[in-house]
Amino acid sequence: MIRPHAKLALVLAGVLTLAGCSGGEASEAATPAYPAWHNTEMNAVSRTTVAGGVATTTSMKPDGTLETVAVDLASGKKLWAHPTTMAGRLPGMGVPAPAIVETGGGQAVTVTVGPAKKGRWKATLVGLDARTGTRRWTRPVHSTFGPQKCGPYVCVSENTALTTARVVVLNPVTGKVMWKLPGIAEVEWSDASRAVFLRLAQHPVLESYDLKTGKVGWQLPIERALGMGVDMSGGWSFGATTGNLVGYIAPYTNPKTKKVSAFGMFSAKLADGTVNWIRPSVVRVYPSGSPGFAPVVRPVDQQGQYGGFARLDAENGRVLGQIPVAQVPSAGWWLSFPSRMEKIGFLRHDKPGNSFDLATGRAAEVKNERGWSFCVTDPKPLPLKNQNPGFYSVASLCEFKLADGKRVAGSGIPPVWFTGSQDGWRTWRDEKGGLRAIKDGSGPTPGMYG
């Protein structure tokens, strides 16, 4: 069972990566004819970013090099492509998506890391017109985790491989530096006037900043929420609800001490950084919703044993439904959920699986149950040219039948908890790397990848 205030445990547990299905229900076959498109002119390997009627993603070319690709959001028509690269990004962070920022008057700027080298600079940050691809400005960089949208600006980590690491906040139109922040940090949330950064340090801290002035609004040490001994090496993810930021810090086993870092999920108010709720000693499971939208977790006890599964309410941390560990089948399954996540299923490829009602914990009939699972459960790293090994593309979901573990013919629409929704559109990568999209009226929602 999930206990709200269970003590933090040092357990030998890695990041739980379970593949799963989200229920594709029969009603989806009658989905109204919403505007939709499918672009196969790319091999998308990053998530997609959207602004100003343009969608952008990072695509891998046949020769193993990368490029930023822009498509018209309304039609899916390819607008342009520009060479891009990674310079100092860590494999565990995945391939970054371009940053795209609206600049007024229906215009937008896309910012990416170009492969151009000059002297000690290993790459070049490039600002491009989002619709035409015309270069607006450039900025040399030594090493970076990549650009991010932060409100009306662009935030870029620079010199990440050096002791002079910093974050610069840039005007997207001119590339001019607005203000700087020492150290390494990542934007986890922003609106028109504020941004919340995760300061990556020995004792990591969430900090809210005024984007115009660079003035600190509030600070929240991660260890205040999850306890001492947090180590970001295991990974992290964040998502926002209406007024809160929900974070997940994964466990990390120190290879020297064999001890496991503090880990779990927590929520903080965006207004002042006050902690709303905590769920220590739980691991996030995959696929599942963003921490800010339909998170699903599994508790770990002090002996390193996994408990059952629980879906949490991102607003208050309460358990919306769970199944006890006694109900979890033996090994050889992949996790699954229907679109509304009212059930939890265990898929076995080409074999009958299991399904349970989350509200009652009782076994459910699988005869007509369908679900979405990772199309590939043993993905291969991307054959990238001149990059460190260990980068993977964002995953694709395929629909399966729980009754026999076989894939459902045809291409359905993955659930919103996986795709997310931006500017009324849901975009996702298909199994072959093509980009799909549908405008189905979904409100702004974070997807599994943010």
Side-chain angles (χ1 to χ4, degrees), residues 234-322:
W236 63 90
S237 56
F238 286 81
T241 65
T242 303
N244 305 313
L245 184 66
V246 184
Y248 168 64
I249 310 300
Y252 175 72
T253 303
N254 186 305
K256 294 181 179 180
T257 65
K258 305 303 180 183
K259 291 185 177 181
V260 175
S261 61
F263 62 97
M265 194 169 286
F266 67 96
S267 168
K269 292 182 180 179
L270 288 167
D272 58 14
T274 302
V275 175
N276 297 304
W277 56 264
I278 59 173
R279 287 284 180 182
S281 300
V282 299
V283 291
R284 180 187 176 198
V285 300
Y286 299 89
S288 63
S290 157
F293 181 73
V296 179
V297 298
R298 196 173 188 185
V300 185
D301 66 21
Q302 295 183 8
Q303 287 71 47
Q305 299 298 311
Y306 289 107
F309 292 84
R311 177 182 169 184
L312 305 180
D313 186 322
E315 289 286 357
N316 53 40
R318 295 175 181 171
V319 174
L320 294 178
Q322 64 181 318

Side-chain angles (χ1 to χ4, degrees), residues 32-37 74 425 437-440:
Y34 294 114
W37 50 262
W425 285 86
I438 184 169
K439 187 176 185 180
D440 61 1

Side-chain angles (χ1 to χ4, degrees), residues 134-438:
T134 303
R135 181 177 297 183
R136 304 284 288 269
W137 53 266
T138 62
R139 178 182 177 85
V141 292
H142 175 274
S143 47
T144 179
F145 289 163
Q148 293 181 280
K149 177 183 181 299
C150 50
Y153 304 115
V154 176
C155 292
V156 186
S157 57
E158 292 187 332
N159 301 341
T160 52
L162 305 174
T163 57
T164 55
R166 64 184 182 180
V167 174
V168 292
V169 180
L170 307 177
N171 181 314
V173 177
T174 64
K176 178 182 177 182
V177 176
M178 308 298 293
W179 51 276
K180 304 173 185 178
L181 181 66
I184 299 176
E186 181 179 85
V187 179
E188 305 302 349
W189 173 88
S190 68
D191 64 8
S193 61
R194 295 177 299 149
V196 176
F197 291 83
L198 173 63
R199 303 291 299 275
L200 297 171
Q202 184 176 1
H203 300 285
V205 180
L206 284 175
E207 292 181 343
S208 174
Y209 285 83
D210 181 283
L211 283 170
K212 288 186 177 180
T213 65
K215 183 179 179 181
V216 179
W218 54 259
Q219 298 176 315
L220 173 62
I222 300 296
E223 290 174 325
R224 185 182 300 171
L226 296 179
M228 298 300 295
V230 168
D231 189 320
M232 307 303 290
S233 302
W236 63 90
S237 56
F238 286 81
T241 65
T242 303
N244 305 313
L245 184 66
V246 184
Y248 168 64
I249 310 300
Y252 175 72
T253 303
N254 186 305
K256 294 181 179 180
T257 65
K258 305 303 180 183
K259 291 185 177 181
V260 175
S261 61
F263 62 97
M265 194 169 286
F266 67 96
S267 168
K269 292 182 180 179
L270 288 167
D272 58 14
T274 302
V275 175
N276 297 304
W277 56 264
I278 59 173
R279 287 284 180 182
S281 300
V282 299
V283 291
R284 180 187 176 198
V285 300
Y286 299 89
S288 63
S290 157
F293 181 73
V296 179
V297 298
R298 196 173 188 185
V300 185
D301 66 21
Q302 295 183 8
Q303 287 71 47
Q305 299 298 311
Y306 289 107
F309 292 84
R311 177 182 169 184
L312 305 180
D313 186 322
E315 289 286 357
N316 53 40
R318 295 175 181 171
V319 174
L320 294 178
Q322 64 181 318
I323 64 167
V325 67
Q327 295 283 65
V328 178
S330 57
W333 47 262
W334 288 264
L335 199 61
S336 65
F337 298 98
S339 296
R340 294 188 299 275
M341 301 183 93
E342 76 277 10
K343 296 177 183 178
I344 183 170
F346 297 89
L347 170 73
R348 289 183 173 87
H349 289 176
D350 297 320
K351 296 180 181 179
N354 304 86
S355 180
F356 297 88
D357 186 283
L358 265 175
T360 65
R362 296 173 182 170
E365 176 62 54
V366 298
K367 182 179 180 181
N368 298 314
E369 191 74 17
R370 293 183 178 184
W372 293 87
S373 178
F374 288 130
C375 300
V376 177
T377 54
D378 57 344
K380 302 296 186 293
L382 295 170
L384 295 175
K385 187 177 181 180
N386 300 323
Q387 293 291 338
N388 292 325
F391 284 94
Y392 294 82
S393 65
V394 293
S396 300
L397 290 193
C398 293
E399 196 173 18
F400 292 82
K401 299 177 183 178
L402 263 70
D404 58 14
K406 297 184 182 297
R407 286 177 56 168
V408 177
S411 300
I413 302 170
V416 69
W417 57 257
F418 175 77
T419 65
S421 180
Q422 302 178 71
D423 289 0
W425 285 86
R426 295 206 281 135
T427 58
W428 68 95
R429 176 188 188 273
D430 68 22
E431 190 177 1
K432 296 181 179 180
L435 198 63
R436 290 181 176 270
I438 184 169

Side-chain angles (χ1 to χ4, degrees), residues 86-137:
M86 295 182 289
R89 189 171 174 91
L90 305 177
M93 303 178 75
V95 178
I100 183 168
V101 184
E102 290 193 44
T103 56
Q107 303 295 308
V109 170
T110 298
V111 182
T112 189
V113 179
K117 298 182 179 181
K118 185 176 181 181
R120 71 186 185 93
W121 306 108
K122 297 182 178 180
T124 302
L125 195 70
V126 185
L128 307 163
D129 183 280
R131 189 155 289 277
T132 66
T134 303
R135 181 177 297 183
R136 304 284 288 269
W137 53 266

Side-chain angles (χ1 to χ4, degrees), residues 67-87:
E67 63 180 0
T68 291
V69 177
V71 301
D72 177 71
L73 188 58
S75 66
K77 179 182 178 181
K78 183 177 178 178
L79 299 174
W80 52 267
H82 188 279
T84 189
T85 190
M86 295 182 289

